[in-house]
């Protein structure tokens, strides 16, 4: 009888995620594709203990739905990705806004949010337009796991 191969739980979830996503890939907007690529990079490269989430502020809602969301605490201008990292006895918070179009800037609500958080200690805001740019920021911020060194022979 063949033994079952153990798959890391995160890897199994990612495979399932991409299997489902593949069915709907044609519906993704460029900014959604960029966000997914960047989250996948974090998923496989962030050190243990880094926490992140996407805040889905975008999209159209009915007037009733929008008022309910605002009553529940929806905050216009919140960036696409929020990353928490505890490092050197300090909690650091990174806010990342993704823009796939190189000509689009921040909305007035996003700019107001950026100005607010930049006054807070241990917070960083970034506007990313590509996966390469995001990967560079993650390395700069210490959000990339150190690679294992090859053993000397």
């Amino acid at each position: 009888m063949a033994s079952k191969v153990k798959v890391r739980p995160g890897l199994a979830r990612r495979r399932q995620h991409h299997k489902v996503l593949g069915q709907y890939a044609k519906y993704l907007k460029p900014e959604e594709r960029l966000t997914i690529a960047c989250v996948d990079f974090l998923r496989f490269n962030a050190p243990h203990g880094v926490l992140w989430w996407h805040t889905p502020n975008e999209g159209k809602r009915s007037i009733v739905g929008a008022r309910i969301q605002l009553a529940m605490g929806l905050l216009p201008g919140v960036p696409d990705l929020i990353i928490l990292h505890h490092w050197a006895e300090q909690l650091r918070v990174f806010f990342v806004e993704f823009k796939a179009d190189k000509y689009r800037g921040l909305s007035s609500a996003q700019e107001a949010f950026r100005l607010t958080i930049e006054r807070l200690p241990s917070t960083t805001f970034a506007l990313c337009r590509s996966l390469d740019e995001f990967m560079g920021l993650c390395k700069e911020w210490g959000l990339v796991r150190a690679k294992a060194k090859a053993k000397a022979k």
Side-chain angles (χ1 to χ4, degrees):
M1 186 177 277
S3 65
K4 291 186 178 181
V5 176
K6 285 189 174 183
V7 177
R8 292 189 342 241
L11 186 59
R13 275 194 308 270
R14 181 172 188 257
R15 286 181 182 158
Q16 182 64 29
H17 161 76
H18 281 286
K19 183 178 177 185
V20 171
L21 188 60
Q23 299 170 4
Y24 304 104
K26 63 184 176 186
Y27 301 108
L28 293 175
K29 298 173 189 162
E31 191 171 302
E32 293 168 334
R33 289 180 192 276
L34 176 59
T35 303
I36 291 167
C38 293
V39 167
D40 279 347
F41 175 78
L42 273 179
R43 194 172 276 132
F44 282 96
N45 294 288
H48 183 72
V50 173
L51 175 66
W52 69 86
W53 66 89
H54 168 69
T55 302
N57 271 4
E58 66 278 335
K60 295 187 179 191
R61 295 178 179 86
S62 67
I63 292 174
V64 172
R67 291 205 176 160
I68 291 170
Q69 293 294 315
L70 287 170
M72 291 172 56
L74 177 90
L75 184 60
V78 171
D80 295 315
L81 194 62
I82 300 170
I83 306 167
L84 304 179
H85 184 215
H86 187 263
W87 183 75
E89 301 301 318
Q90 183 178 12
L91 178 66
R92 300 183 314 165
V93 185
F94 303 99
F95 297 89
V96 184
E97 178 62 34
F98 296 107
K99 297 288 184 194
D101 182 354
K102 64 181 180 178
Y103 301 108
R104 280 187 56 210
L106 298 175
S107 69
S108 57
Q110 290 167 336
E111 186 64 31
F113 189 88
R114 182 188 68 80
L115 292 171
T116 300
I117 63 169
E118 283 185 345
R119 288 185 242 132
L120 301 173
S122 303
T123 60
T124 303
F125 179 91
L127 175 61
C128 284
R129 298 184 186 277
S130 71
L131 177 59
D132 288 338
E133 185 178 358
F134 181 75
M135 290 166 58
L137 286 171
C138 286
K139 289 174 186 170
E140 179 183 320
W141 295 338
L143 298 176
V144 178
R145 230 183 348 251
K147 303 293 181 198
K149 294 182 181 178
K151 293 181 181 179
K153 291 184 179 181

